[in-house]
Amino acid sequence: MFPNTNRYDQLLDNYDEIYQETDATYVLKEAIFVPNEIDAMKENILKYGSLIASYFSTTESNSYIYNTTRDKTNHVITIIGYDDTISKNLFYNSNDTHTLPSRDGAWIVKNSWGTSYGEDGYFYMSYDQYLSDIAAMSFQPKNNQQLYYYDGGAAVNASNYTNSSSIQFANIFEVANANEYQTEKLNAVNVGIASASTSYEIQIYQLNEQPKSPVDGTPLLTTPIQGQTTYAG
C-alpha cells in the first residue's frame, strides 16, 4: 500500500490524469531483463524469439562485430539467434586493435540501419562482446480489452519505508464501463519487479465508498496469488 497518506489523497484527487488508456492493437504481455550470460540468453531467445540489447557501436559496416569497449553502450540491436560454430578468427579485423575474442560462437543480430549494413541488415556479434540492458518481451492482441495502468512510484527501495525485507504497493482504478447492467471481467494483473528470485503476493480489493486506504474494502481472492520471479521484469 502507499505508505504516505497525503500521496494517496493526491492520487484520488488526480485520478483523471493518472488513468490512461491506449488505442494500441497489441499490448505488452510480459517483459523480463535477462542476465548477460550465454545460456540464459539462448534460453530466452528460444522462448521469446528474440532479445533486445545495447552495445558500443563504432558504426562500421561489418558482418562480424566485436570490440573491446566495456562499461558503455550507444546502440540498441535485436538478437534473433545464435551460432556456436562461428570461428573467433572471423572477428580479427572487426576492431582497431585486431583483438580476437576468447572463444568461438556468435549472436545473430538484426540491425536497424537498413539492408546496406552487414549482410542485408544482419550481422554476427561475438559472444565476447560487451552487452547491456538485455531484455525479452512478448505481446498479445488487445482484442478490445480495457487497460488500466499507472506507471509511477515503483522504482523505490523498500528500505526507504520499512526495516523489513518486504514492502506493499497498490494501484487503484475505477472500472470504466461498469454500471448496473454491465460489468467487466478482470483477466490479468501485471506486476513489475526489479530483481530476480523475488517472492510476491497479489490480492485484489473491491474498495468501499470513499476508501481511506488501498485495502479499505473486501478482498476478492480467497487465497492471494503467490509466486517467485525467475528474472527481473
Side-chain angles (χ1 to χ4, degrees):
M1 73 182 74
F2 289 105
N4 187 316
T5 303
N6 293 333
R7 174 59 174 157
Y8 172 70
D9 292 339
Q10 180 185 356
L11 291 177
L12 293 182
D13 292 340
N14 296 291
Y15 171 78
D16 290 338
E17 297 178 9
I18 293 168
Y19 171 71
Q20 302 175 62
E21 184 176 358
T22 177
D23 293 326
T25 304
Y26 285 81
V27 295
L28 182 67
K29 181 180 180 181
E30 185 178 12
I32 62 169
F33 291 102
V34 180
N36 191 3
E37 301 169 359
I38 291 177
D39 288 343
M41 292 175 64
K42 287 180 176 179
E43 172 191 340
N44 286 288
I45 289 171
L46 294 175
K47 180 178 179 180
Y48 292 94
S50 66
L51 303 175
I52 62 170
S54 60
Y55 80 109
F56 185 81
S57 171
T58 57
T59 70
E60 76 280 8
S61 181
N62 199 316
S63 298
Y64 299 92
I65 298 297
Y66 170 65
N67 65 67
T68 57
T69 302
R70 294 290 186 269
D71 303 323
K72 64 179 179 178
T73 64
N74 62 3
H75 183 54
V76 176
I77 40 101
T78 303
I79 301 173
I80 62 170
Y82 55 88
D83 188 337
D84 293 338
T85 68
I86 298 297
S87 171
K88 64 182 181 181
N89 295 314
L90 293 171
F91 299 93
Y92 180 74
N93 292 316
S94 68
N95 55 82
D96 293 336
T97 59
H98 300 294
T99 302
L100 281 177
S102 65
R103 53 192 160 187
D104 294 335
W107 306 113
I108 302 171
V109 175
K110 184 180 187 301
N111 205 4
S112 57
W113 292 338
T115 55
S116 62
Y117 185 91
E119 297 182 14
D120 296 325
Y122 296 80
F123 63 88
Y124 290 105
M125 173 177 284
S126 170
Y127 285 157
D128 277 4
Q129 178 64 48
Y130 174 78
L131 296 173
S132 176
D133 306 313
I134 307 167
M137 291 172 281
S138 64
F139 297 83
Q140 64 184 21
K142 184 182 176 185
N143 291 336
N144 297 317
Q145 296 182 83
Q146 187 76 36
L147 304 179
Y148 302 90
Y149 63 95
Y150 169 65
D151 291 334
V156 296
N157 190 308
S159 64
N160 291 339
Y161 301 105
T162 175
N163 292 324
S164 71
S165 59
S166 64
I167 191 169
Q168 293 178 304
F169 285 94
N171 283 345
I172 300 175
F173 302 105
E174 181 179 341
V175 180
N177 297 320
N179 53 50
E180 59 182 312
Y181 307 106
Q182 176 178 308
T183 60
E184 286 189 356
K185 178 183 177 181
L186 181 63
N187 292 317
V189 174
N190 277 5
V191 177
I193 300 176
S195 58
S197 302
T198 299
S199 299
Y200 62 85
E201 181 176 289
I202 299 172
Q203 180 61 274
I204 301 166
Y205 289 84
Q206 181 174 337
L207 297 182
N208 298 323
E209 293 291 332
Q210 298 182 337
K212 301 300 182 182
S213 79
V215 296
D216 185 8
T218 304
L220 299 182
L221 301 178
T222 303
T223 303
I225 297 171
Q226 295 179 330
Q228 186 177 63
T229 62
T230 302
Y231 301 102

